Amino acid sequence: MSNKQRPSALIMLFGATGDLAKRKLYPSLYRLYKKGRITERFAVVGVARRPLTNEEFQKHVKDSILTHIGENTEIDQFASHFYYHSHDVTNTQSYRDLKTLAEQLDEKYSLEGNRLFYLAMAPEFFGTIAEHLKSEGLTDTRGYKRLVIEKPFGHNFESAQKLNDRIRTAFAEDEIYRIDHYLGKEMVQNIEVIRFANAIFEPLWNNRYISNIQVTSSETLGVEERGRYYETSGALRDMVQNHMLQMVALLAMEPPIRLTTEEIRSEKVRVLRSLRAMSKEEVNEYFVRGQYGAGEVNGEDVVGYRNELNVDPESNTETYVAGKLMIDNFRWAGVPFYIRTGKRMAAKSTKIVVQFKDIPMNLYYNPAEPLQPNLLIIHIQPEEGITLHLNAKKSGKSSTIIPVRLNFANKSVDRMNTPEAYEKLLYDSMRGDATNFTHWDEVALSWKFVDVISDVWENTKEKSFPNYPAGSMGPKCADELLQKDGNFWWDVEKFVIETC
Ligand code: BG6
């Protein structure tokens, strides 16, 4: 492996005692270390408010790895690269101390001045931290300097722009790595390959042959202990503005002229620019919302959203969104992209269904058993793979046509678990590959699209809430949204990929 593939870095992790660091970041770094993708030339400075010694912090890191990976070979050696700095984000002296520590570690581990500042904490401090990193000289380094920043990136376009202006005072656009962890998922990355490496799909990938595309991301979890955040976000800001629109962009973009970060991102931006804008009056024609009531999930009774911790008992926040997106360009004119996402639904699953148009003339017309349309299913999670639904003759003498499925399951080929999204994204940010991070232009356009909807929804109390029971696939209005077009949601719960 070349040096570019085994990058050195000082990772300064703000929010080091938080949930994301514990569940995702430490286990991902450990896996990268075990695979030899990061060598001994790395150090992590955990930055958080509470006082901890280096030893206590290292124990915290080791515990999180044991809990989440259940393995501990070389763990002491790995954890010895972790240091702790107790920090108050507004205290200038504290940044100076961080700088001194960074310089020492740079020397000790031969890090060539490479610095990755990872903000995995409350977003209200993002701007303040970025400004201090610059004013106190931490960004003044001979190696690379990069800012990795978690969502939410703003609350709407205006606040996102303000935040962007602040972080841009310290980092150039190409030094900012805005995380959308869906872009790190194996099968989300596979969308482009399925489309652009297969002669049988790309010629059909347009409004002549595709009837509609459905993207479903359902969760069984409720809001857990995140009620306070979720009340200000709702499913629209939490999932649609980022993950759902990113998947649509990948499904709809034109083939890039080259597989470079700039070319791919600019094609995605063009899709977001082509999204049909809605007037306020049109919002409820294109988008519907839901909120879960009490119900049963995986055999257990669960409370409704309004009874969750830190949630207003009269809350108007949506925990479910379904929408119809129209992409007004030559390729997609007339093809609806339906999206839906929600909490406390029947299954934890993300799937894309591409429904092809019916064949022009049906030679096998049988009113008792109408021919099924061809479908391409991209299974993003929990299973990973693709399924193609075709029609074929039932074996034997009868001329009955039956649907058949061609399956490809990622795991049965690799016979190993695909890396976690965070593992890939961390590695990419260290290698300087920003392809699977969101550019400001994408963030800005997504907010502008979503802001129209949230403006309307926040200003009209939804009287039907709660309108779907926990453990269901969402409210009735989501079915009606498709029925108006003569379509229906495919029952994705049944589209389970068979692994061999
Ligand atoms: C996050 C949202 O971005 O994505 C969460 O804030 C949501 O509310 C999560 O649960 C879903 O991610 P995944 O990878 O579990 O589908």
Side-chain angles (χ1 to χ4, degrees):
M1 267 194 248
S2 67
N3 264 358
K4 173 136 173 83
Q5 286 167 311
R6 291 164 29 132
S8 65
L10 173 68
I11 303 171
M12 228 172 242
L13 179 57
F14 291 79
T17 52
D19 202 46
L20 181 77
K22 195 164 62 188
R23 280 189 305 115
K24 304 284 185 191
L25 304 180
Y26 301 140
S28 296
L29 280 170
Y30 177 68
R31 286 201 197 91
L32 289 170
Y33 181 74
K34 289 296 304 273
K35 289 177 183 166
R37 300 230 155 110
I38 49 179
T39 61
E40 301 300 330
R41 287 165 59 237
F42 87 98
V44 176
V45 180
V47 182
R49 221 188 149 89
R50 75 172 81 146
L52 285 182
T53 62
N54 285 345
E55 291 67 33
E56 285 167 332
F57 179 50
Q58 289 173 1
K59 176 158 184 322
H60 175 87
V61 171
K62 288 195 264 188
D63 287 348
S64 82
I65 290 160
L66 273 176
T67 314
H68 295 282
I69 308 192
E71 196 201 312
N72 64 359
T73 48
E74 296 173 64
I75 201 159
D76 288 323
Q77 176 66 10
F78 171 75
S80 69
H81 290 253
F82 286 69
Y83 297 78
Y84 189 77
H85 178 82
S86 166
H87 184 65
D88 168 356
V89 290
T90 54
N91 181 340
T92 310
Q93 183 55 44
S94 187
Y95 289 90
R96 294 189 189 140
D97 297 343
L98 257 180
K99 182 169 188 253
T100 311
L101 177 59
E103 281 159 3
Q104 286 163 0
L105 296 175
D106 194 35
E107 180 82 23
K108 176 164 179 186
Y109 292 98
S110 315
L111 303 176
E112 297 164 326
N114 293 332
R115 291 187 188 161
L116 200 74
F117 302 96
Y118 197 125
L119 307 190
M121 53 171 333
E124 59 264 36
F125 300 121
F126 289 169
T128 311
I129 296 174
E131 284 164 359
H132 278 87
L133 290 176
K134 178 164 171 82
S135 65
E136 301 321 310
L138 278 118
T139 52
D140 205 355
T141 179
R142 68 201 157 95
Y144 67 67
K145 62 172 191 334
R146 296 184 190 134
L147 182 75
V148 183
I149 189 161
E150 281 289 336
K151 68 179 264 268
F153 197 90
H155 180 73
N156 51 23
F157 172 66
E158 206 188 326
S159 56
Q161 191 170 41
K162 280 196 185 126
L163 169 61
N164 203 51
D165 290 347
R166 289 183 79 185
I167 61 176
R168 283 297 305 275
T169 58
F171 295 89
E173 174 61 33
D174 64 0
E175 294 172 328
I176 302 171
Y177 289 65
R178 297 178 194 82
I179 295 243
D180 182 317
H181 78 283
Y182 268 55
L183 296 180
K185 290 185 191 284
E186 183 66 23
M187 288 307 294
V188 172
Q189 298 189 349
N190 219 334
I191 294 173
E192 281 170 80
V193 183
I194 294 166
R195 289 190 51 197
F196 305 136
N198 289 298
I200 60 166
F201 291 132
E202 194 45 32
L204 307 183
W205 212 261
N206 55 49
N207 52 10
R208 284 183 66 196
Y209 299 104
I210 290 181
S211 147
N212 68 84
I213 296 187
Q214 304 182 6
V215 185
T216 301
S217 192
S218 59
E219 294 189 76
T220 48
L221 289 180
V223 284
E224 311 290 285
E225 60 295 333
R226 295 163 77 219
R228 191 162 293 134
Y229 151 76
Y230 203 81
E231 277 284 89
T232 62
S233 132
L236 190 67
R237 293 188 173 99
D238 190 46
M239 291 291 290
V240 175
Q241 183 270 338
N242 37 67
H243 313 320
M244 303 302 281
L245 288 182
Q246 282 293 323
M247 286 191 280
V248 169
L250 288 167
L251 286 162
M253 72 190 224
E254 292 300 313
I257 49 175
R258 256 176 242 101
L259 285 178
T260 59
T261 306
E262 292 70 32
E263 296 299 347
I264 294 173
R265 282 168 157 191
S266 79
E267 291 304 341
K268 282 163 67 194
V269 165
R270 280 154 61 99
V271 173
L272 297 169
R273 279 175 43 208
S274 327
L275 285 176
R276 183 179 300 171
M278 290 164 283
S279 66
K280 288 193 174 180
E281 293 66 41
E282 287 170 330
V283 162
N284 292 325
E285 253 173 65
Y286 285 89
F287 274 80
V288 297
R289 52 182 160 161
Q291 187 191 73
Y292 63 84
E296 196 184 298
V297 176
N298 295 333
E300 279 189 20
D301 290 339
V302 297
V303 297
Y305 177 67
R306 290 177 177 183
N307 292 101
E308 301 275 14
L309 190 70
N310 296 325
V311 169
D312 176 356
E314 301 275 299
S315 178
N316 194 38
T317 303
E318 77 288 348
T319 60
Y320 175 100
V321 174
K324 164 173 149 178
L325 306 171
M326 298 305 291
I327 298 171
D328 287 333
N329 64 18
F330 236 74
R331 185 187 284 262
W332 293 116
V335 180
F337 282 66
Y338 300 114
I339 56 171
R340 61 176 165 166
T341 182
K343 299 247 179 231
R344 284 285 191 232
M345 291 174 65
K348 167 77 185 163
S349 148
T350 305
K351 286 190 174 56
I352 295 163
V353 180
V354 180
Q355 179 179 337
F356 290 90
K357 286 190 171 165
D358 291 338
I359 43 172
M361 191 181 99
N362 183 358
L363 293 170
Y364 304 96
Y365 183 69
N366 174 355
E369 281 184 67
L371 216 52
Q372 293 296 310
N374 294 135
L375 302 177
L376 171 70
I377 324 287
I378 305 179
H379 305 257
I380 310 276
Q381 60 185 18
E383 330 85 64
E384 297 177 343
I386 51 178
T387 310
L388 193 56
H389 288 211
L390 304 172
N391 292 302
K393 182 183 162 304
K394 191 172 176 188
S395 343
K397 281 201 193 122
S398 88
S399 56
T400 312
I401 309 290
I402 51 158
V404 294
R405 296 176 179 189
L406 306 186
N407 271 329
F408 157 69
N410 239 3
K411 287 195 175 115
S412 44
V413 171
D414 293 347
R415 301 214 177 273
M416 60 179 237
N417 285 332
T418 48
E420 260 273 1
Y422 270 96
E423 184 182 327
K424 291 200 224 178
L425 295 176
L426 260 169
Y427 186 49
D428 284 353
S429 62
M430 290 167 81
R431 285 187 311 147
D433 181 351
T435 314
N436 293 311
F437 295 80
T438 40
H439 188 277
W440 164 245
D441 294 346
E442 297 172 72
V443 175
L445 287 161
S446 306
W447 274 127
K448 284 182 184 164
F449 181 76
V450 155
D451 280 353
V452 182
I453 309 168
S454 40
D455 259 12
V456 172
W457 285 358
E458 277 169 7
N459 294 313
T460 40
K461 180 104 181 146
E462 179 51 70
K463 294 196 195 76
S464 70
F465 278 179
N467 59 356
Y468 71 99
S472 69
M473 274 312 271
K476 229 172 97 225
C477 51
D479 296 333
E480 290 160 0
L481 181 73
L482 273 67
Q483 279 157 14
K484 284 193 291 194
D485 298 340
N487 291 324
F488 58 87
W489 292 106
W490 288 95
D491 197 352
V492 283
E493 274 175 282
K494 297 213 178 101
F495 293 164
V496 177
I497 199 164
E498 292 102 35
T499 39
C500 36

